[in-house]
Amino acid sequence: SKGIRKGQKVTKASAASMNDKRIDSEALLDIICLPILGVKDDMTILYCNKAYADFVGKMVEDLIGENLIELFPSFKRTDSYKAYLKALRTGQNQVVTGKLNDAILYTRIYRTSWGLLAIAEDITELVKTEERYKLLAEHSADIICKMNIEDERYSFVSTSVKKILGYTPEEALFLKPKDVLTPESYLKPVSYTHLRAHETSLHLVCR
């Protein structure tokens, strides 16, 4: 009987420890300014931080225990909801960008033992800035491109590349800087270490 009592004490201690860890985790999530939502497999809300509650215009206590779809029926028509279902079905984490009302959200969805944890980021202004940038680039006579410095891969090339180099923007995405730049221009930004943090553009000469 002593062994049983001892086992019961260990169980209670373990439960208390797990509860403390849960409280610590929630306290940590509460201070994050990004909207965070935790739901069970049936979409019952287990947790949300204040940032999420503020985003949807409700109080945290009014959200906990409620069904996400019943609270926000329109969510069922979003790409985010499809990603939720895919995460539940496959067990794999998901990343999705979609619209919710007037906001554009970039959301990471993690499959957990109790359901899903979703962390969203409002990228509305970023997308608008990107769209303005592309609009400007499409009307420029110069070739304007966006490149990842680490692997030298282009993610955007303006349409003027067709007139100047003969490549379509789609073809130009697969080019490397050394394919189109003069040797002097290609060597000039080697490692790009001379670029300062506040510089966003670099003028180079094509062959």
Side-chain angles (χ1 to χ4, degrees):
S1 59
K2 286 185 178 180
I4 295 175
R5 285 197 296 272
K6 185 177 180 181
Q8 288 174 338
K9 289 181 181 179
V10 172
T11 301
K12 290 179 180 178
S14 299
S17 177
M18 290 176 62
N19 188 55
D20 289 342
K21 289 180 180 179
R22 180 183 63 80
I23 293 173
D24 288 343
S25 298
E26 290 187 1
L28 177 62
L29 294 175
D30 282 341
I31 65 176
I32 298 177
C33 61
L34 298 178
I36 299 177
L37 175 70
V39 297
K40 295 170 62 176
D41 290 12
D42 63 359
M43 296 296 156
T44 299
I45 298 175
L46 284 174
Y47 167 82
C48 70
N49 63 355
K50 187 176 183 301
Y52 179 86
D54 290 343
F55 184 78
V56 299
K58 291 183 177 292
M59 302 292 289
V60 171
E61 53 267 30
D62 293 332
L63 294 168
I64 304 300
E66 298 295 328
N67 184 277
L68 180 65
I69 304 304
E70 292 178 1
L71 279 176
F72 310 107
S74 61
F75 182 72
K76 200 170 184 178
R77 299 190 293 271
T78 66
D79 290 335
S80 294
Y81 180 65
K82 293 177 183 177
Y84 276 39
L85 295 182
K86 187 174 182 179
L88 289 173
R89 185 176 69 254
T90 66
Q92 298 178 343
N93 299 335
Q94 302 293 317
V95 174
V96 62
T97 300
K99 291 194 69 174
L100 182 62
N101 298 326
D102 295 326
I104 301 174
L105 301 178
Y106 173 81
T107 306
R108 286 158 290 177
I109 304 163
Y110 302 95
R111 185 65 163 112
T112 71
S113 59
W114 42 260
L116 299 173
L117 179 69
I119 303 176
E121 183 177 357
D122 188 343
I123 60 169
T124 306
E125 289 305 315
L126 179 64
V127 171
K128 288 181 178 179
T129 300
E130 186 80 6
E131 290 175 347
R132 287 194 292 267
Y133 168 80
K134 288 184 177 181
L135 182 62
L136 175 65
E138 295 301 333
H139 290 81
S140 173
D142 296 325
I143 299 175
I144 297 177
C145 58
K146 184 178 179 181
M147 183 185 74
N148 184 307
I149 291 178
E150 294 182 358
D151 59 11
E152 294 190 342
R153 289 184 178 274
Y154 296 108
S155 59
F156 171 79
V157 181
S158 63
T159 54
S160 54
V161 70
K162 176 68 174 177
K163 183 176 181 181
I164 297 174
L165 298 179
Y167 298 101
T168 66
E170 293 74 21
E171 292 170 336
L173 290 176
F174 295 96
L175 296 174
K176 292 286 189 176
K178 64 181 180 181
D179 296 329
V180 295
L181 297 177
T182 62
E184 295 78 11
S185 280
Y186 179 67
L187 292 175
K188 176 183 174 184
V190 61
S191 299
Y192 303 93
T193 54
H194 72 291
L195 283 176
R196 295 184 295 276
H198 66 276
E199 293 181 313
T200 57
S201 63
L202 183 67
H203 294 278
L204 301 170
V205 179
C206 295
R207 297 180 182 183

